[in-house]
Amino acid sequence: MSSSSSTVSTLFASHIFNPCRRFPLSGTNFHHRSKCGLPRRNFSMGIVAAGVSVLGSPLGADPVQGMERLPFRPEGYNFWTWRGHKIHYVEQGKGIPLVLIHGFGASAFHWRYNIPELAKTYKVYALDLLGFGWSDKAIIEYDAMIWKDQVSDFLKEIVKEPAILIGNSLGGFTALVTAAELPDRVCGVALLNSAGQFGNPSGETSLNAEDTALQKFLLKPLKEVFQRIVLGFLFWQAKQPARIESVLKSVYINTSNVDDYLVESITRPAADPNAGEVYYRLMTTFMTNQTKYTLDSILSELSCPLLLLWGNLDPWVGPAKANRIKEFYPNSSLVSVQAGHCPHDEVPEIVNKALVDWLSSLKLKASMQTL
């Protein structure tokens, strides 16, 4: 796999893999019409040109000085049973609900500086996707449909009213797919350096019957053995604290927040008994299913306001993607910040303000009818 294809990588694994290039989502039935009734406004903050804002802070400054941080609890916070699996989530505050969705390899604790601040005005939920964080490491076949279904049921069973979805990396892609399917329950989406790719117009070449048989009976078994050996080693290497810290520092421009709290929030789930098998299934699924669904397909079904809150120094998912999303989906606002792949944790004070300002511009009604 070429280095140019690694648009999104795990926070606890080697970034040579590309688990989020495209996701298998065939069979999904999307709806076009939203009943949230929100005005579609352009978001503006600071210096604005054509709906695009650029915010920044000195890279050497401490971004969290004086900020409240979610206490780290090794036992977790709240748990919800979904399809027989234990799902971890954090819940704080009162008001219009926000649902925060973490990226690949992270957890609800990655929103440690955002939850307390946003909870001053909104009801904030942050959940761990199945297979990650404090949620069960279920031995299933993983694809993005699983997480879309999980977030959809979370909205129906726990949140129980229209909400705003906010996602980073893989969580951003999950938020988009959920919003496209449930326009009645999602009134806005904020993407922070989201995963996903636009479609390839060149298409794919097909294999003849002989080639298909060769792959099925000879190449595929050998490939699986090789993958298990290689990925087993990489998982062992990737869950080492020093390696996690190194990967995080490669995508945090200001590395002052790459601390023991953050590293612990990633290493602890990686020690779960099934974590290695889940890692293998996640990586092989993403590496072998790269043609089923694309960003342009999702965006064509989206109907709610969209905020692109982008770390423009991200070495994995650069600002070109945000610009392309904005061009494709006019009902979007772009705010660029001087940060890497995880701006919500690197410059949380800037991200929190941008989110609150955008949410205020939507003129959401606190009395939105509970579904």
Side-chain angles (χ1 to χ4, degrees):
M1 184 172 297
S2 67
S3 59
S4 63
S5 68
S6 57
T7 55
V8 177
S9 181
T10 71
L11 293 179
F12 66 90
S14 173
H15 65 274
I16 64 172
F17 288 102
N18 181 13
C20 300
R21 187 170 178 80
R22 295 191 184 111
F23 298 96
L25 287 169
S26 56
T28 304
N29 181 24
F30 292 113
H31 306 280
H32 293 268
R33 192 174 173 88
S34 174
K35 296 183 181 178
C36 292
L38 298 178
R40 299 184 177 185
R41 292 170 167 264
N42 285 332
F43 167 65
S44 61
M45 180 194 309
I47 301 175
V48 183
V52 179
S53 300
V54 179
L55 307 176
S57 62
L59 295 182
D62 181 2
V64 293
Q65 185 173 4
M67 291 191 67
E68 185 179 355
R69 185 172 72 177
L70 179 74
F72 184 81
R73 291 184 184 176
E75 71 278 11
Y77 280 78
N78 307 291
F79 291 90
W80 163 58
T81 300
W82 178 70
R83 297 185 179 180
H85 304 298
K86 185 176 67 174
I87 302 298
H88 173 248
Y89 69 97
V90 178
E91 177 182 345
Q92 285 190 5
K94 295 181 179 180
I96 296 167
L98 313 179
V99 179
L100 313 182
I101 311 171
H102 63 79
F104 200 99
S107 70
F109 288 108
H110 206 193
W111 303 99
R112 52 187 173 164
Y113 292 112
N114 315 108
I115 294 172
E117 183 64 26
L118 295 175
K120 294 177 181 178
T121 309
Y122 301 95
K123 186 162 190 175
V124 180
Y125 300 89
L127 78 163
D128 289 352
L129 297 176
L130 187 67
F132 296 112
W134 274 246
S135 289
D136 279 350
K137 309 302 177 291
I139 305 302
I140 60 173
E141 295 304 317
Y142 285 89
D143 59 37
M145 279 291 288
I146 295 295
W147 299 311
K148 183 269 298 179
D149 290 346
Q150 178 190 341
V151 174
S152 296
D153 288 343
F154 186 80
L155 291 172
K156 296 172 185 176
E157 298 178 20
I158 302 298
V159 181
K160 299 180 180 179
E161 59 182 313
I164 305 292
L165 301 183
I166 302 170
N168 169 239
S169 194
L170 171 63
F173 187 88
T174 302
L176 274 180
V177 179
T178 305
E181 184 179 72
L182 295 178
D184 291 344
R185 293 183 179 272
V186 180
C187 294
V189 175
L191 302 181
L192 288 80
N193 296 66
S194 178
Q197 291 292 318
F198 283 88
N200 180 8
S202 64
E204 293 187 329
T205 58
S206 60
L207 297 174
N208 59 38
E210 183 178 354
D211 291 335
T212 302
L214 179 65
Q215 283 197 352
K216 180 178 179 180
F217 297 109
L218 179 60
L219 299 181
K220 185 177 179 180
L222 290 176
K223 180 181 178 181
E224 289 178 352
V225 171
F226 177 75
Q227 285 178 336
R228 282 203 172 271
I229 294 172
V230 173
L231 290 175
F233 171 75
L234 284 176
F235 177 71
W236 173 85
Q237 181 191 51
K239 68 179 183 178
Q240 305 304 314
R243 175 58 179 163
I244 291 173
E245 182 178 354
S246 174
V247 172
L248 288 168
K249 286 184 175 180
S250 73
V251 293
Y252 275 57
I253 305 306
N254 178 1
T255 61
S256 61
N257 278 5
V258 180
D259 53 17
D260 291 342
Y261 180 119
L262 181 58
V263 173
E264 175 73 4
S265 73
I266 298 172
T267 55
R268 185 174 287 270
D272 289 353
N274 291 338
E277 178 64 20
V278 169
Y279 175 84
Y280 169 78
R281 293 179 179 228
L282 287 168
M283 299 301 284
T284 54
T285 296
F286 293 146
M287 286 191 291
T288 58
N289 292 278
Q290 300 189 12
T291 61
K292 297 290 182 68
Y293 215 67
T294 56
L295 281 176
D296 38 320
S297 298
I298 306 170
L299 292 169
S300 65
E301 303 293 342
L302 197 67
S303 58
C304 64
L306 178 64
L307 171 65
L308 304 168
L309 184 45
W310 223 263
N312 59 9
L313 303 177
D314 185 353
W316 293 346
V317 188
K321 178 186 283 187
N323 293 328
R324 188 171 179 185
I325 293 174
K326 181 172 174 58
E327 290 175 3
F328 189 94
Y329 190 74
N331 189 23
S332 61
S333 305
L334 174 59
V335 178
S336 296
V337 300
Q338 287 187 324
H341 188 62
C342 309
H344 59 294
D345 191 58
E346 185 178 340
V347 287
E349 77 287 8
I350 294 176
V351 167
N352 289 341
K353 184 180 187 305
L355 286 171
V356 170
D357 287 351
W358 176 70
L359 290 166
S360 299
S361 76
L362 298 181
K363 305 297 182 183
L364 296 171
K365 296 180 180 179
S367 59
M368 284 193 301
Q369 182 178 0
T370 300
L371 296 176

